[in-house]
Amino acid sequence: MIIKPKTRGFICTTAHPDGCAAHIREQVAYVQQKGTIAGAPKRVLVLGASTGYGLASRIVPAFAGRAATIGVFFEKAAEGDRTASAGWYNSVAFEREAHAAGLYAKSINGDAFSDDIKAQTIALIKADLGQIDAVIYSLASPRRTHPKTGVVHKSCLKPTGGAYVNKTVDTEKGTVGEVNILPATEAEIADTVAVMGGEDWEMWMDALAAAGVLAPGVVTLAYSYIGPEMTWAIYRNGTIGRAKEHLEETADRITAKLATHEGHAWVSVNKALVTQASSAIPVVPLYIALLYKVMKAKGTHEGTIEQIYRLFAERLASPQLDEEGRIRIDDWEMTDDVQTEVAQLWEVVNTDNLSILSDIVGYRAEFLKLFGFGLPGVDYEAEANPDQTLPSAV
Ligand code: NAI
């Protein structure tokens, strides 16, 4: 099959297996060139391991610390004339690279919110690794079926105060327009907290602790975002921000429960980056396109792999926390000079000057790369085999 990108708004419905493999090799090469991280965890469970920050959180301990990794994700294999999802191809490629390097890597594809996947994961840890030293919680999902009530909660991206009007970009058409979003209802806020808050993280840690598979000194880590004021109405003070507040409070509860393991739960506040999850948020893609322009000019731009390498190499061993007890790896994004420049550009950016003032070109390229398109050395006119089996599944 010759595979081309098919984009619809912020979704790409195709993915390229060889392109995704090239993307994995690029990230592995970055980590190898940066070098070994002393003290990196050796047995790592990554929830949401197939794309974005979770994928980087699997690659870094594996290739900078020779960690054994178990990755959990919810992806689709190819079917008929449909390609697999990008996260599927990423995971196939990750396992191949890991196995070639002599590393343990197995994956579980299914709904991480369910009791069944938690039980399968625990059984795999017991059978193969005994215990784990780190749990990375990096799920981003539009919905969650609650394992105890069966209720399907759907998250939404809305303000929680009044209606919100701001600039936004149609990344496909390259037009800057206005979004006007009505505020969320209390039920919508509660649903978003149920999906993206900390309840499932705590359920995972409870289940892993009860099964006796957490090693002494275990560390668990979940990811949050704060960002600048121009995005607060939709992000930090919006429905997703409420969920992140819940996630952050949950870290304290988990840490208290981990006392017997001398363990710790951390929340790391990460940089805004193009991922499948962030491209769905109104306003944020325009902010990211401006941010990339400014940070690339200053030489401080990072992608997920650079962020997570720095997190593991410089933050995890001796975390320096903000006043709320969070790890900050968004420090370069949030410097005054970067934020002042982005705010100035925000005021004047419009459809006519978008390609000059923002890095919309880089944004689009980065978005397509998430699906394995635009990687150097890949022949996109050649036949590709969409049917790829996860090596650990055979
Ligand atoms: P992503 O969309 O790239 O990755 C989501 C992952 O969750 C994928 O591996 C997917 O398979 C998995 N997943 C979704 N539903 C699942 C389910 N039911 N069962 C099992 N796996 C499931 O997202 P991204 O952006 O990497 O987000 C990860 C975390 O990082 C989120 O908490 C997000 O809020 C946070 N974050 C993201 C930032 C960004 O700019 N992208 C910035 C700061 C934090």
Side-chain angles (χ1 to χ4, degrees):
M1 187 195 277
I2 292 172
I3 305 171
K4 300 280 175 185
K6 275 193 202 146
T7 51
R8 256 191 293 120
F10 53 80
I11 294 168
C12 180
T13 56
T14 53
H16 201 288
D18 305 331
C20 289
H23 197 195
I24 294 290
R25 284 194 300 274
E26 204 175 75
Q27 295 177 71
V28 167
Y30 171 81
V31 171
Q32 286 173 330
Q33 159 259 316
K34 291 292 286 183
T36 301
I37 299 174
K42 291 290 174 211
R43 297 165 294 180
V44 181
L45 170 63
V46 184
L47 307 166
S50 52
T51 57
Y53 274 117
L55 173 62
S57 306
R58 192 175 192 188
I59 295 174
V60 167
F63 287 92
R66 299 202 55 78
T69 59
I70 294 177
V72 179
F73 45 76
F74 209 7
E75 299 294 345
K76 285 200 180 90
E79 209 187 320
D81 57 4
R82 264 212 343 250
T83 71
S85 56
W88 180 271
Y89 293 139
N90 287 339
S91 301
V92 169
F94 170 83
E95 282 195 11
R96 283 191 187 140
E97 292 293 320
H99 296 167
L103 300 173
Y104 173 97
K106 286 192 183 176
S107 307
I108 293 179
N109 187 37
D111 181 5
F113 297 129
S114 69
D115 288 343
D116 178 42
I117 290 296
K118 290 183 176 75
Q120 279 187 43
T121 307
I122 287 167
L124 184 61
I125 296 168
K126 281 186 173 167
D128 288 3
L129 303 178
Q131 291 189 318
I132 40 174
D133 308 299
V135 181
I136 313 299
Y137 190 85
S138 188
L139 298 181
S141 173
R143 71 186 66 79
R144 169 177 173 225
T145 303
H146 197 283
K148 307 299 172 206
T149 63
V151 172
V152 180
H153 299 280
K154 289 189 179 143
S155 66
C156 67
L157 296 158
K158 290 188 179 181
T160 56
Y164 172 61
V165 183
N166 207 339
K167 284 183 177 177
T168 198
V169 67
D170 180 324
T171 50
E172 218 180 344
K173 295 192 188 123
T175 51
V176 178
E178 226 175 50
V179 272
N180 189 338
I181 313 169
L182 293 174
T185 61
E186 284 303 318
E188 286 175 319
I189 296 171
D191 276 332
T192 307
V193 171
V195 179
M196 290 296 288
E199 188 187 26
D200 181 60
W201 184 24
E202 193 169 353
M203 284 180 168
W204 267 100
M205 296 310 296
D206 286 347
L208 295 164
V213 296
L214 296 179
V218 66
V219 169
T220 183
L221 197 60
Y223 298 139
S224 190
Y225 183 65
I226 296 176
E229 221 168 314
M230 75 188 68
T231 64
W232 282 359
I234 191 71
Y235 199 98
R236 195 65 201 180
N237 297 334
T239 47
I240 181 72
R242 291 287 190 92
K244 291 300 183 193
E245 274 169 24
H246 187 268
L247 185 83
E248 291 166 21
E249 290 157 18
T250 305
D252 296 336
R253 270 200 305 283
I254 297 176
T255 296
K257 289 181 181 176
L258 288 178
T260 48
H261 293 80
E262 291 177 36
H264 210 111
W266 304 106
V267 164
S268 171
V269 180
N270 297 354
K271 179 192 179 194
L273 284 176
V274 184
T275 65
Q276 292 186 46
S278 70
S279 55
I281 307 175
V283 181
V284 167
L286 180 57
Y287 168 70
I288 291 180
L290 295 172
L291 181 73
Y292 276 28
K293 180 81 174 183
V294 171
M295 292 187 79
K296 282 180 182 175
K298 290 184 186 299
T300 56
H301 173 70
E302 295 175 300
T304 48
I305 198 72
E306 291 89 350
Q307 275 270 291
I308 298 299
Y309 186 89
R310 199 154 64 88
L311 173 63
F312 274 73
E314 295 177 18
R315 294 291 193 277
L316 273 191
S318 53
Q320 287 174 1
L321 308 174
D322 68 8
E323 64 285 358
E324 307 285 339
R326 299 168 297 211
I327 296 173
R328 303 298 294 260
I329 200 76
D330 64 341
D331 47 349
W332 296 352
E333 168 184 358
M334 298 310 291
T335 55
D336 286 345
D337 59 334
V338 167
Q339 286 304 323
T340 304
E341 280 185 45
V342 172
Q344 283 165 351
L345 293 172
W346 186 268
E347 288 305 315
V348 291
V349 68
N350 58 36
T351 302
D352 295 337
N353 60 27
L354 179 70
S355 56
I356 301 163
L357 298 190
S358 85
D359 185 26
I360 189 70
V361 172
Y363 183 100
R364 287 200 191 106
E366 219 27 52
F367 179 76
L368 287 175
K369 224 170 150 183
L370 298 177
F371 302 90
F373 297 107
L375 273 296
V378 177
D379 181 357
Y380 291 98
E381 302 305 324
E383 290 283 332
N385 177 12
D387 288 310
Q388 306 269 336
T389 309
L390 271 170
S392 67
V394 292

